Amino acid sequence: MEKTYDPKNLEQRWYQTWEERGYFTPSDEADGSSSYCIMIPPPNVTGSLHMGHAFQDTIMDALIRFHRMRGDKTLWQAGSDHAGIATQMVVERLVNAEGKTRHDYGREKFIDKIWDWKEKSGNTITRQLRRMGSSLDWEHERFTMDDGLSDAVREVFVRLYEEGLIYRGKRLVNWDPVLHTAVSDLEVLSEEENGSMWHMRYPLSNGQGHMVVATTRPETMLGDCAVAVNPSDERYKHMIGELLELPLTGRKIPIIADEEHVDPKFGTGCVKITPAHDFNDYHVWQRHRDEVSVSEQRHGGLINIFTVDAVIRDNEPEEGELIPAKYIGMDRYDARKQIVADLEQLGLLEKIDDHKLMVPRGDRSGSVIEPFLTDQWYVKAGPLAKPAIEAVESGKIKFVPDNWKNTYFEWMRNIEDWCISRQIWWGHRIPAWYDSEGNVYVGRSEKEVREKHNLDADYALSQDEDVLDTWFSSALWPFSTLGWPQDTERLKAFYPTSVLVTGFDIIFFWVARMIMMGIKFMDDVPFHEVYIHGLVRDSEGQKMSKSKGNVLDPIDLIDGIDLEPLVTKRTTGLMQPKDAPKIEKQTRKEFPTGIPALGTDALRFTFAALASTGRDIVLSTSRIEGYRNFCNKLWNAARYVLMNTEDQDCGQDNSKIELSVADRWIISRLQQTETKVTEAIEGYRFDHAAQAIYEFTWNEYCDWYLELSKPVLMSKESSTEQKRGTRRTLVRVLETLLRLTHPIMPFITEEIWQRVAPLADATGDDAHGSASVAGGTTAGMQEVEQSRKPEPRTPEATTIMTQPYPVADAAKIDAEAIQEMEWVMQFILGVRRIKGEMNIAPGKQIPVLLGNTSQTDVGYFQNNRHYLDFLARTESVEILAPGDDGPESATALVGEMKLLIPLSGLIDKDAELERLNKEMSRLKQDMERAEKKLSNKGFTDKAPEAVVQKERDKMEEAALALKQLEQQAARISDL
RNA sequence: AGGCGCGUAGCUCAGUUGGUUAGAGCGCUACCUUGACAUGGUAGAGGUCGUUGGUUCGAUUCCAAUCGCGCCUACCA
């Protein structure tokens, strides 16, 4: 093995091997009790991997690998969605670069172009997913626009339509005037922006003064149909029903009373009502449209003033001058200026205040969204939501962490009908046809429609031009990918899926809709658990976004990147090019030397370690570096193990062995670690799993066990059985640790495992307990680990991926060994602390005396002499007779035993006194604390006996230790 | 406005039925290139657990109030 761990050369090699050998496809031979399935949240075909994906994929892959190793029939479903608007925009931009528009190509040719683009460029993210080590079933990769999923979409649409759960209607929608399509509420992002509040005077038609209305969008006044006041508002009560002159239009509009919408305490208490351009006003209009004063307005009061571009429209022939000619053809903002100017001139502008307002913008185009009156298709959400709410209430679906169900309920209980039509070309075309009379026919195909309605082949039908919202097909993902509407084996095996892993930002978008559709069409929930993870932020806690220039490409963390390319990457393609200098400066400051190559395993381990219950994941490269170092530690531990075991007898043939205290101790600790890690993964606490692995590997296996193995292996006095036992433990603990770690760090564990596994010889049933053992307890005699029969190992086709996941065996936990090792470690630490604090070189061998020894101390000492000499660098150890205080010495306590290092020549008297004083004051504090508790009658009366006893023990121990140290201090100061 | 969440070491975070000296990583200090690893070893410094009350024998943990921060939803024309 190389001296330093280098992820580069091993990660991609292993991934390729795994994929070639088909390890990612669910195994028919899986012997676990159940199947396990996760659907990947389909990434967007235009997308590339960001940190959120990398984090999410790490969690899913860890779960998938964990269950695969446990023997479950395991599927991680791969695929991507067609991202209607985003994809169309990408290809449209390419077409624009040719100097053409999509209309020059026409619908069909343009769609062909998108498919071409998808073939060539649509796989960026799947390549990146492979770099993350994701063990997705690529053989069954799906795409929301492929034939099968398109069938599913049509089927669902038709069935919902036939049940009356899909309908077509003219409604106000969020209209993107740049993309010319409706978008859903969820695709609109509102942010506070600076604007103005215009206060306009609307004269009373009877000449008795005016009313003042305020608005943030004065241009919409052209479409006003009324002014509303609160009926209880004394100021205006008497004016209800009177008419106002709507300035600039020559129209008269009524004053109406609306208690719900109008807050008399806000502004002037008068609200202009523009029902075709404001959602609230639309609702007011719905309440009042039957009142004569409103209904006799043009178009019943519902007056649209814009074109699809948000330009003031022209009048229809029969409308006369409904829209004043002066403004026709003006963009909405030009019209605003003009109207304000004209009002000003007429003396009808009372004032303009600065005003902050929430401006809705399309998340794709960035343009200001316009409420706009159009014909759209809707899904009636209420009936679908009801069982979906119950599924979560009843616990059929559990959110992890549990609180997220509140968010879900909040949304579901106030759900509104879902606008599913989009005025774009790329997507599932709505399966509805119209005849020249305007009749609508819905069916799976034109053929089906004609058959069903007995329409001749020459009866003219034209299909609806619109396509469905991408999320409509995503909502079907958990069953459509498995073959629905066909009744497939995969569907039977994997639906309902086990868990959905996703970010909280799409609980509404996606999670809720999958639940509704799953229950509706599969008659069962799509998944049993929803694990909601946090959002990855940069080292300053900022949300990562391209526009902020603080995005990190996970691949750059894996492979490393120099500063200059990183700066270039972050500053190109910005929505706001003016931010480039700021971003460059910030990048140079944060990464003065670029980013070092850290490897996938280190990145994955970092994600796991950060995956606690919080909402934010703050990622810093120093943290990843720490875990890269951990990989190196593991690597070098393996190197040490191999150096001492390869070509040597490690007890593979189950020949006689003797297990030392250290062997039995590390085996015990391994079992405890296995329990912790397994429980952590089962409870989605990957941070706890990672921490348990980290601590065991570094603080126990490396820091102690490997060191303790050295004297055994190096000494001529060790027996063959002892050496064999140690080698076997070295190798088997490592082998097990690799399996334990594999779900989080797949690559390094596979690489090392390939070399370690043959030495550990983890095969064969008769390995259990058949080794003949000299010495040691029963618990220690058994195998390090084996739970499930592993697959037969042949040289070419074996992998850690399909080995059994470690299962702890409580019988292997040797409490005595743990206690004895605790003593050994305390001894060694005591000596080291004295050396450290007395400025004695750690390597210097020194004499040690033991005072106040018990029978156990003497036994432990004799058993472990070789460890103590080696790790504490003792020159000699002498046990003092009872009552003998020995010469003046520096002191450490191991339980009640005194560990003495004679002062002569070595130790500074004052320094030792200082040390003792420090230790004594610590003990005194402990005592005081305990004493205070014990002298409190409330405590001794009411606290549980065990707690009180614990306090008494503590008190006693501290008192004893204090006494010993006081004596010691007295002797030294007498010198 | 409503809902959710968070304030613990310089930084990032653990701390699940209230009871050890409140832990870890990174960073910091001193020493050590010893034979798996300087991407390392050894020893160490560092916290009135946001604030204030309450419940309790006992509160980082439970309750209330308060301050600060973040997110989501709905927004006032």
Side-chain angles (χ1 to χ4, degrees), chain A residues 498-753:
Chain A
S498 308
V499 59
L500 180 78
V501 177
T502 190
F504 53 79
D505 45 341
I506 56 176
I507 289 179
F508 310 142
F509 256 114
W510 191 46
V511 179
R513 288 166 180 175
M514 277 190 291
I515 296 174
M516 290 192 279
M517 292 300 197
I519 293 173
K520 178 75 191 168
F521 291 98
M522 293 298 297
D523 210 25
D524 201 349
V525 294
F527 26 73
H528 297 300
E529 289 183 296
V530 183
Y531 173 69
I532 303 285
H533 62 251
L535 198 75
V536 181
R537 295 168 177 279
D538 74 2
S539 56
E540 310 227 308
Q542 294 289 310
K543 195 167 169 174
M544 290 190 184
S545 74
K546 177 81 187 156
S547 61
K548 278 188 193 145
N550 61 349
V551 286
L552 282 173
D553 183 339
I555 305 301
D556 291 341
L557 292 169
I558 292 169
D559 292 338
I561 185 169
D562 290 333
L563 177 60
E564 297 311 322
L566 179 62
V567 168
T568 309
K569 207 168 163 174
R570 282 184 158 191
T571 50
T572 47
L574 290 173
M575 264 196 182
Q576 305 277 335
K578 66 175 168 48
D579 292 338
K582 197 181 83 195
I583 290 170
E584 177 172 350
K585 200 176 149 199
Q586 179 188 315
T587 301
R588 288 182 189 282
K589 191 180 153 212
E590 196 181 350
F591 304 102
T593 57
I595 298 171
L598 298 161
T600 301
D601 283 326
L603 181 61
R604 288 176 59 127
F605 201 86
T606 309
F607 284 133
L610 293 172
S612 61
T613 52
R615 287 190 170 193
D616 298 328
I617 309 298
V618 179
L619 191 77
S620 66
T621 47
S622 65
R623 187 89 191 234
I624 314 172
E625 268 176 71
Y627 292 120
R628 192 265 321 261
N629 296 353
F630 175 66
C631 290
N632 191 55
K633 191 74 181 174
L634 181 62
W635 182 263
N636 276 286
R639 207 162 76 93
Y640 167 80
V641 171
L642 290 170
M643 280 166 61
N644 285 287
T645 54
E646 268 180 325
D647 303 320
Q648 305 219 45
D649 179 1
C650 305
Q652 291 98 321
D653 56 357
N654 289 319
S655 45
K656 205 171 161 189
I657 56 160
E658 182 180 329
L659 293 181
S660 67
V661 181
D663 295 331
R664 285 176 278 133
W665 168 75
I666 197 71
I667 291 167
S668 304
R669 300 292 299 134
L670 177 65
Q671 309 308 312
Q672 293 169 331
T673 306
E674 287 167 13
T675 303
K676 252 193 242 173
V677 172
T678 302
E679 284 174 0
I681 294 176
E682 285 174 339
Y684 300 100
R685 290 305 301 264
F686 300 95
D687 55 332
H688 289 166
Q691 200 186 346
I693 289 169
Y694 188 97
E695 278 175 0
F696 175 80
T697 305
W698 203 311
N699 303 343
E700 298 191 307
Y701 188 66
C702 291
D703 284 353
W704 286 103
Y705 184 68
L706 295 191
E707 295 307 317
L708 291 163
S709 75
K710 288 174 185 175
V712 177
L713 296 177
M714 278 157 61
S715 168
K716 292 195 193 85
E717 285 161 35
S718 313
S719 68
T720 310
E721 288 78 11
Q722 287 171 330
K723 289 192 179 178
R724 197 184 279 140
T726 293
R727 284 197 203 99
R728 202 179 78 163
T729 308
L730 274 173
V731 142
R732 293 193 178 186
V733 171
L734 177 59
E735 194 273 338
T736 308
L737 175 61
L738 292 170
R739 280 184 285 127
L740 193 67
T741 309
H742 179 260
I744 301 178
M745 297 203 291
F747 296 114
I748 188 175
T749 50
E750 176 79 293
E751 178 76 11
I752 299 172
W753 187 85

Side-chain angles (χ1 to χ4, degrees), chain A residues 195-202 210-218 235 265-270 272 336 339-341 343-355:
Chain A
S196 307
M197 179 80 84
W198 286 269
H199 296 254
M200 308 185 294
R201 295 186 186 125
Y202 285 8
H210 58 257
M211 290 181 96
V212 175
V213 295
T215 179
T216 55
R217 305 174 61 216
R235 293 171 293 176
K265 288 189 282 297
F266 186 88
T268 58
C270 309
K272 66 192 266 311
R336 177 179 299 179
I339 285 170
V340 169
L343 288 172
E344 172 100 72
Q345 190 150 33
L346 294 169
L348 296 176
L349 192 65
E350 175 127 330
K351 60 174 176 175
I352 307 172
D353 290 337
D354 288 340
H355 182 72

Side-chain angles (χ1 to χ4, degrees), chain A residues 19 93 109 280 291 406 539 639 717 742 933 935:
Chain A
E19 189 172 352
R93 232 174 272 142
K109 290 246 171 63
N280 285 317
E291 292 166 24
N406 297 331
S539 56
R639 207 162 76 93
E717 285 161 35
H742 179 260
K933 281 191 184 177
S935 63

